[in-house]
Amino acid sequence: MLLVLPVELVLIEGKSKNMERARRVLEMKGITKQYFGNTVLNNVSIDLYPGEIHALVGENGAGKSTLMNILFGMPVIHSTGGFSGEVLIDGEKVELMSPAEAMQAGIGMVHQEFMLLPGFTITENIKLNREPTTKNALSRLFRSKSLDYLDVPTMRKDARAALDRLDLAIDEWAPVAGLPVGYMQFIEIAREIDKKEVRILVFDEPTAVLTETEADRLLESLRRLAADGIAILFITHRLDEVMAVANRITVLRDGETVARLNRDEAVVERIAELMVGRKVEKVELPPRAKEPSDEDIALTIDNLVVDMPGEMVRGLSLSVRRGEILGIGGLAGHGKLGIANGIMGLYPASGRVSKNGENIPLNSPEEALSRGLAFVSEDRRGVGLLLNEPIDRNIGVTAMQVQHKFLKSWPHFLPALRLEDRAELRAYAEDMIRKLDIRCLGPNQPVRSLSGGNQQKVCIAKALALEPEILFVSEPTRGIDVGAKRLVLDLLVRLNRDHNVTIIMTSSELGELRKVCDRVAIVYRGRLAGILPPDASDAEFGLMMAGRVGKEAV
Amino acid sequence: MIQSPEQKKVESGRDVSLDMRHIVRTNGVPILFLALSITMAAVAGLSPAFLMNEVITRFARNSLLVLSLLIPVTAGMGLNFSIVIGAMSAQAAAIAVTLWGIKGVSGFLTACLLATPLAAITGCLAGLVLNRAKGREMITSMILGFFANGIYQLIFLFLVGSVIPFNSKSMLLPQGVGVRNTVDLINIAQSLDKIWRPVISGVRIPVVTVLVSLGMCVVITFLLRTKIGQDLRAVGQDMNIAEVMGIKVDKTRIIAMILSTVIAAWGQLVFLQNIGTLNTYNSHEQVGMFSIAALLVGGASTRRATIFQALIGVILFHTLFVVSPLAGQKLFGVPQIGEYFRVFVAYGIIAVALAIHAWQDRQMRKEAIREAVLTE
Ligand SMILES: Nc1ncnc2c1ncn2[C@@H]1O[C@H](COP(=O)(O)OP(=O)(O)OP(=O)(O)O)[C@@H](O)[C@H]1O
Ligand SMILES: [Mg+2]
């Protein structure tokens, strides 16, 4: 057999002195996993010391979640033929065939998808299947733990304690259904830190749905947990987070380990390069023939009020210039996310929004879509995708319904009877797969089996299929790796320059806004605080986001 | 610092002011049936005492069977049509105690003891089958009921008296093989009802039987407060998440089926002791249909059913059963019209409920597509 070694295999087994003395709590050796003949992990090894934060980074689809699913004994692994390689806990070989066994072995995991039951309260979710119980006559009689009463007061007390450790001032008896995504993530984390027996904790992109402030709090919790001696495996696409907390960093690329670094020898650029396998260049903004100006306004927002829990908009007015990329920034909870959601009719809204002087009726997504507006939502985890349908249909479904695209031309007088044009759809999807670098087996693959980041790329492709005049994108690079991030930003700029799409981009990453936007509007307490040019100083942005400055600077 | 969303509180505050409308909207079915029952009772001109008597008897006789449906609904398995399997186990036990001549309450208890393992085993088998038909439990359980009926008939029509020794000629068909169409359950007839049956202002109340039903409510409430109850609810909400959280999903679903089948067996014994005769090949046939109809009349759905809905459903459904033939007699001079009406109601409500269920499923799928269309 021919063994091809990756060229830049930089396995630097550097351990600090006290780690050498400590025993490894986890070793995964030579893990290889195939999905339907497709090798997604090839001879991957990783190990973990108590009290260590070990970051696992890699592009979308590199195999990070798969490796963690193996560790956690997830059903999807065993129902697709298992894996080869060894898992050792405390130096002893284990075979984890189910999540229950993994938990027993002291492994906790915050999954990339939410694992919360919406009909249960926060407490019930935190204590799910680990409920403290009290004995009663019947359970004594039958000697069955199943018949024990749930000890609700203790459950609530434990849940409260876990929430308090995360500084989460939320009623522990509130139902999970309807909570904002950021909360759900913290509840999942509360569940894991509530497990007293946990020694290994896996976090699969916990910060992807969090705002920067929330993410900072999460990192703080990670440090505290590590200080308590828990070994942490931390998956993220935000390399600054890696630099902030990780002791060691393992880089995966296309299912192989390409590097293992100590923090002191790691720099963000180097990690990014290792992940992508090429240099990550800076985005150069191409010039325009005609600069957008206040003479030519595409969208006017007047006194917009949006009732979006946690992101209320309370009377915002803003004019968007035709052909510009307008950034919307601001701190979490100040309503920047509510703007697009309100205009697109996803949350109750009032006020006046007009495009080219024509009024857009609010509270109706159909109206907004049919008037050439499109929206890439920030809430892309699971919702917004037909998980069992193939990639191409997911990309085409909105354009098909709203604009009768990708349909056979006959009978043109009765669009309802027109069949899907598979060939056209497929060709379009293939083009998108190439442009956005969606890692998949082909346009036929069901979206469910894509990696998290690649599912997000499908969401973006879907909005682009509408060829909108005005495109709202919220948190477009959340949960996407550095390489793909650049691709997405590039694509937005190209759309803007080549196809003259007006883009309104909401993001909690100020850096990214400043990179591609013509102007950045800052929202404070649900209203416009001001608009800054992208090259304004950090201090100016900071002051405006804190509500100190209140006048337009552009 | 993250604070709890204020929005929630505002909304719940608004709910209170809309209380009345909310109640009507969420309890449309029972309210409709209540109105129907009252109208028909008025038309028929029944005396309240007569009506009360009838309804209490039927309540005592049927509520256990309806309660047996609750646990599978909680476990997300929908309406369990295969409770007829429990009923068949009960009938086998009833035939046995009649054959052995065990009389009175001890006969009834022996029948219960005998029916329990039978129902547990058959329930377990049904659970195993349903675990292979996840997402299609209702239709599968209905077919299972028919299948079990075939086996039941094979045993009692052909094997008893030929392969299975049976030493009571009087209970067998004339040719000496197969149990007669009707078996007089002299030994256990009314055994539970007549323990204490005081008459309060003209209404005879079978106290012990009613207490058995209420006792079962307590037991179910108890079960749902235990660890296994929490597991059942978790599995009912999302099997995948429950599995990932380490709950043994298949085992939990089998437990739900065993509990349901056993309670149904006891329920059928209560039913039979009240009626006093066994229609060997028919008594069980409509158990599933009528119990499910009663539960649905109480306002339950295939995803959510409470004890309260079960009890209200039994009362409303059987009130309608009592008054509709009499109203038919009064209005048209033909009691059959009422008779047709109640059969129509029983099957109609199931059909409508299942149609609504299917429609909701489609709606949810559409909603998912819509959401997908709109939120990119
Ligand atoms: N159930 C499945 N069936 C088939 N292929 C799968 C399945 N789950 C994952 N894959 C494939 O395995 C590869 C690795 O996916 P994985 O989810 O591990 O990526 P990841 O590193 O977590 O990426 P991301 O950062 O986007 O979450 C992908 O190409 C994906 O399409
Ligand atoms: Mg992943």
Side-chain angles (χ1 to χ4, degrees), chain A residues 99-100 103 111 115-120 124 128-129 131 136 138 145-150 167-169 177-178 183 191 217 307 346 365-366 369 375 377 383-384 386 398 459 462-463 466, chain B residues 1-5 7-8 11 14 222-231 233-235 237-238 240-248 251 255 365 368-376:
Chain A
M103 277 184 242
H111 296 267
M115 292 286 172
L116 296 173
L117 295 173
F120 274 6
E124 287 173 304
L128 190 58
N129 203 27
E131 297 90 351
N136 56 48
L138 272 177
K145 232 185 114 48
S146 298
L147 291 177
D148 284 352
Y149 277 134
L150 296 186
D167 278 338
L168 214 60
Y183 286 79
R191 168 155 74 201
R217 289 222 341 262
D307 189 6
L346 298 175
E366 286 88 351
L369 282 172
F375 180 32
S377 160
V383 305
L386 306 166
T398 314
C459 288
K462 196 162 71 161
L466 285 167
Chain B
M1 179 113 252
I2 298 178
Q3 261 125 38
S4 77
Q7 218 49 36
K8 275 261 139 38
E11 264 164 37
R14 215 178 286 146
F222 161 80
L223 271 179
L224 291 182
R225 286 220 196 133
T226 61
K227 172 73 182 111
I228 183 74
Q230 191 77 353
D231 290 355
R233 267 195 294 264
V235 170
Q237 279 191 59
D238 192 318
N240 294 328
I241 294 182
E243 181 89 50
V244 172
M245 289 300 128
I247 295 173
K248 300 220 163 63
K251 192 178 139 203
I255 290 176
R365 207 187 120 74
I369 292 183
R370 204 182 105 99
E371 209 164 307
V373 166
L374 301 177
T375 62
E376 310 303 340

Side-chain angles (χ1 to χ4, degrees), chain B residues 337-358:
Chain B
I337 294 217
E339 200 72 47
Y340 290 139
F341 180 72
R342 67 186 192 186
V343 173
F344 169 76
V345 165
Y347 287 96
I349 184 109
I350 294 179
V352 169
L354 294 185
I356 288 177
H357 173 71

Side-chain angles (χ1 to χ4, degrees), chain B residues 287-316:
Chain B
V287 161
M289 285 296 171
F290 282 4
S291 306
I292 284 169
L295 185 64
L296 294 173
V297 167
S301 71
T302 51
R303 294 178 203 284
R304 217 184 96 80
T306 62
I307 291 180
F308 185 70
Q309 286 167 336
L311 298 184
I312 291 289
V314 180
I315 292 173
L316 287 178

Side-chain angles (χ1 to χ4, degrees), chain B residues 8-23 25:
Chain B
K8 275 261 139 38
K9 280 175 205 136
V10 176
E11 264 164 37
S12 57
R14 215 178 286 146
D15 264 359
V16 179
S17 60
L18 289 173
D19 232 354
M20 230 15 244
R21 264 173 54 197
H22 182 73
I23 287 178
R25 208 176 21 211

Side-chain angles (χ1 to χ4, degrees), chain A residues 34-36 38-41 57-69 76-77 80 112-113 204-205 235-237 252 255 439-441 445-446 448-455 457 479-481:
Chain A
Q34 297 192 328
Y35 274 124
F36 312 108
N38 193 20
T39 306
V40 298
L41 285 176
V57 298
E59 283 186 288
N60 296 134
K64 305 176 297 293
S65 297
T66 306
L67 188 64
M68 295 305 105
N69 287 344
V76 61
I77 299 294
T80 52
Q112 193 168 8
E113 311 77 42
D204 195 349
E205 289 193 47
I235 299 177
T236 181
H237 287 300
L252 281 188
R439 302 280 165 92
C440 60
L441 299 173
Q445 190 178 355
R448 182 183 293 283
S449 62
L450 289 183
S451 78
N454 282 309
Q455 291 182 351
K457 292 184 199 167
I480 288 185
D481 65 67

